[in-house]
């Protein structure tokens, strides 16, 4: 009954009382008739659409599997990127925005922080992955691993925990 107006709730309760009084006051009645409070409705259209979208996503994921083989066997071991600093600065900027948005929404008690937390956790894991896999051997690689283990992955775990904890609780 959560979210209903008091008047609507009262109306429903009065209808139940009237039904019980009518059944109790009926002459020659040996048994009460059970009247369902609500009819079984057809499955909402949105649920069917959600299921279809889910199967479409599964099909797309499966279609990507052969592409992974093509990438793994066909790409060059090294590459030059024209906008390398912009790519990394952009990723880190998105992470900063995600952390700020998640923090502000969580501090306000807004349940939407779960969405920002999930997106931010994903960005942080991607950053850790690309930092470590693109780092040059030696000091660069050690720094990338230290950043991944000391900052990016723990923050991703915190964001993931916030998202899962919030989404597993009823509204």
């Amino acid at each position: 009954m959560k979210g209903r107006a008091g008047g609507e709730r009262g109306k429903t309760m009065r209808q139940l009382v009237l039904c019980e009084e009518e059944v109790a006051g009926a002459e020659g009645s040996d048994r009460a008739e059970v009247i369902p409070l609500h009819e079984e409705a057809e499955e909402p259209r949105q649920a069917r659409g959600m299921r279809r979208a889910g199967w479409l996503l599964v099909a797309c994921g499966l279609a990507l599997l052969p592409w992974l083989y093509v990438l793994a066997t066909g790409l060059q071991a090294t590459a030059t990127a024209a906008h390398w600093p912009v790519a990394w600065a952009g990723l880190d900027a998105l992470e900063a925005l995600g952390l700020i948005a998640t923090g502000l929404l969580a501090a306000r008690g807004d349940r939407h922080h779960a969405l920002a937390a999930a997106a931010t956790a994903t960005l942080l894991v991607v950053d850790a992955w690309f930092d470590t896999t693109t780092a040059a051997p030696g000091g660069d690689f050690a720094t990338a691993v230290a950043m991944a283990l000391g900052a990016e992955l723990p923050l991703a775990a915190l964001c993931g925990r916030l998202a899962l904890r919030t989404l597993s609780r009823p509204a």
Side-chain angles (χ1 to χ4, degrees):
M1 301 299 275
K2 186 176 179 183
R4 286 190 172 189
E8 190 175 329
R9 173 185 255 179
K11 181 179 176 186
T12 303
M13 292 305 218
R14 281 194 299 276
Q15 287 173 342
L16 287 174
V17 171
L18 287 176
C19 288
E20 289 175 7
E21 289 172 357
E22 289 171 0
V23 169
E27 295 179 3
S29 176
D30 293 322
R31 62 188 170 105
E33 180 183 354
V34 177
I35 302 169
L37 294 177
H38 57 82
E39 299 277 331
E40 288 295 322
E42 273 189 46
E43 186 176 327
R45 190 168 192 90
Q46 183 180 7
R48 281 183 284 199
M50 185 69 71
R51 221 178 354 261
R52 285 186 190 135
W55 285 115
L56 176 65
L57 292 172
V58 168
C60 290
L62 291 172
L64 278 176
L65 294 179
W67 180 244
L68 293 175
Y69 176 77
V70 170
L71 290 176
T73 59
L75 285 178
Q76 299 174 8
T78 60
T80 302
H83 304 288
W84 190 251
V86 174
W88 284 109
L91 179 58
D92 286 352
L94 288 172
E95 291 171 9
L97 287 173
L99 290 168
I100 292 167
T102 301
L104 289 174
L105 290 169
R108 285 187 358 193
D110 189 332
R111 288 180 52 87
H112 290 98
H113 78 271
L115 301 172
T120 304
T122 303
L123 288 169
L124 288 162
V125 169
V126 167
D127 191 7
W129 174 262
F130 281 106
D131 278 345
T132 56
T133 59
T134 61
D140 286 346
F141 181 74
T143 301
V145 169
M147 287 294 294
L149 296 176
E152 294 157 346
L153 294 177
L155 283 171
L158 174 62
C159 288
R161 183 170 181 252
L162 280 173
L164 290 174
R165 198 173 108 205
T166 302
L167 294 175
S168 66
R169 290 184 181 166

